[in-house]
């Protein structure tokens, strides 16, 4: 129907996983050769079945890839259901008028963007099928020779990337110039921490660490655009210039952690607090995870399996547990989990969001689980599991979304405490001055 046989590279990630033997396929093989091969394979299988003394292989004990894939999909849907349930409960707590307005606005603004994008991509698929089936759609629609093909249609994201970049750096006083300048200035301060670190600086840098996989995918997308690999067979080439062997992937993954590490060192230089060094150590534990994972594409498979993979697992566990401990005890200030059972510092934000015990149980347990799965996403050698990596990326963004509430609340508490202390000291000084004046003393 589509007018020819498709040739897929032997090193395609859809045919093999990294480190396995390349799959060699010859689409021009004759039917006789196919029959001979099938007869040989059937004979081999029969001989294996007759040998009852043969030991059972470990592959037979392991669950099938289809079963593992179904389990991952089920786990993804369970997590999706939990996230949707929490979001829906939050919406249902609104008043009826506010809830209806919120749902209407969300549907009004985001529904068209999704549907228009979907329609454009579906139209590209239509044109691809027409081209493969030798349907002269250009003549049907009376199009000229310079009409858009399916490849140009699928290259629409290139225009979107360019439009976002142009709007972000647009120098004129339109499109929220002050906000765009604030974002660019904060990003510049993150890249070059040559000044005292503000709350906005390390807050945005922390968010960038959760988006390290997104930034890495952005680098791969731009790389493919530059090398003209968009909507071509190069999509399937795992070892191309923008593929898994590229050193740019681990470099982009580690950059947000290095930025945060330098910020902590700068904070220690300015304040002398040793906790800044401990925080820097936390971000440094992500470097071995990323580096050891990238080594899989540059060492022999046996050496990776016997030496580097155990080190990668160990470094991943260390990074996850250290990060979880820091979230709970430092960023959120939930030391010894006392605030789960006693809310002694209630304020409007706590009463609105955190005034229930189950919220703390949920956020601590989900943060621990997602911190551990986050190690999976930092590992570039696991990129072939696209659905799993996508699900974990989305869940990490959700974890950071939860983290924001408690991190901002903790900072708000600190600011209020400092204000109260300063106000108390000011009142004490005024009271002493008033007593001295009333007693007729001169100071």
């Amino acid at each position: 129907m589509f007018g020819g046989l498709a040739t897929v590279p032997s090193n395609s990630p859809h045919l093999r996983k990294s480190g396995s033997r390349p799959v060699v396929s010859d689409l021009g093989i004759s039917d006789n050769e196919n029959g001979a091969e099938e007869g040989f394979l059937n004979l081999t299988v029969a001989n294996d079945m007759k040998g009852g003394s043969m030991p059972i292989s470990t592959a037979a004990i392991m669950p099938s890839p289809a079963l593992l894939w179904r389990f991952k999909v089920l786990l993804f849907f369970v997590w999706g259901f939990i996230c949707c349930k929490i979001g829906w409960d939050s919406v249902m707590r609104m008043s009826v008028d506010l809830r209806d307005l919120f749902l209407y606005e969300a549907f009004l603004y985001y529904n068209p963007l999704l549907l228009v994008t979907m329609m454009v991509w579906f139209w590209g698929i239509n044109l691809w099928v027409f081209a493969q089936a030798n349907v002269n759609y250009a003549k049907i629609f009376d199009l000229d020779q310079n009409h858009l093909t399916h490849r140009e249609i699928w290259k629409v994201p290139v225009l979107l990337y360019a439009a976002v970049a142009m709007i972000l750096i647009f120098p004129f006083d339109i499109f929220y110039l002050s906000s765009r300048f604030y974002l660019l200035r904060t990003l510049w301060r993150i890249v070059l921490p040559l000044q005292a670190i503000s709350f906005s600086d390390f807050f945005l840098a922390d968010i960038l660490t959760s988006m390290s996989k997104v930034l890495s995918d952005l680098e791969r997308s731009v790389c493919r655009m530059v090398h003209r690999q968009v909507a071509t067979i190069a999509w399937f080439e795992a070892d191309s210039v923008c593929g898994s062997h590229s050193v740019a992937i681990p470099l982009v993954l580690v950059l947000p952690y290095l930025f945060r590490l330098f910020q902590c060192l700068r904070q220690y230089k300015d304040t002398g607090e040793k906790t800044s060094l401990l925080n820097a150590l936390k971000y440094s534990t992500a470097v071995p995870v990323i580096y050891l994972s990238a080594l899989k594409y540059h060492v022999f498979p046996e050496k990776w399996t016997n030496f580097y993979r155990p080190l990668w697992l160990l470094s991943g566990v260390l990074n996850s547990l250290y990060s979880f401990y820091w979230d709970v005890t430092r960023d959120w200030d939930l030391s010894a989990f006392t605030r789960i059972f006693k809310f002694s510092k209630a304020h409007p934000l706590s009463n609105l969001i955190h005034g229930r015990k189950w919220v703390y149980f949920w956020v601590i347990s989900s943060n621990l689980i997602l911190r551990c799965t986050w190690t999976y996403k930092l590992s570039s050698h696991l990129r072939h599991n696209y659905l799993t990596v996508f699900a974990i990326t989305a869940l990490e963004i959700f974890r950071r979304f939860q983290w924001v509430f408690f991190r901002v609340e903790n900072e708000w508490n600190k600011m209020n405490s400092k204000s109260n202390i300063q106000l108390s000291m000011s009142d004490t000084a005024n009271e002493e001055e008033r007593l001295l004046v009333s007693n007729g003393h001169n100071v």
Side-chain angles (χ1 to χ4, degrees), residues 7 10 18 37 42 44 50 55 59 101 110 152 163 177 198 207 229 249-250 258 261 302 329 346 386 390 406 420 423:
T7 303
S10 62
S18 177
E37 264 191 273
N42 291 335
T44 305
K50 291 179 182 178
L101 178 61
Y110 296 102
E152 280 73 26
L177 177 63
S198 66
I207 292 178
Q229 295 181 357
I249 292 177
L258 294 180
L261 172 65
E302 296 79 9
T329 61
Y386 299 107
F390 173 79
F406 295 88
N420 292 334
L423 183 60

Side-chain angles (χ1 to χ4, degrees), residues 257-258 261 277-289 319 322:
Y257 295 91
L258 294 180
L261 172 65
L277 294 179
L278 296 177
N279 199 15
L281 180 62
K282 181 195 74 172
Y283 291 103
S284 67
T285 58
V287 178
V289 180
N319 172 258
Y322 197 166

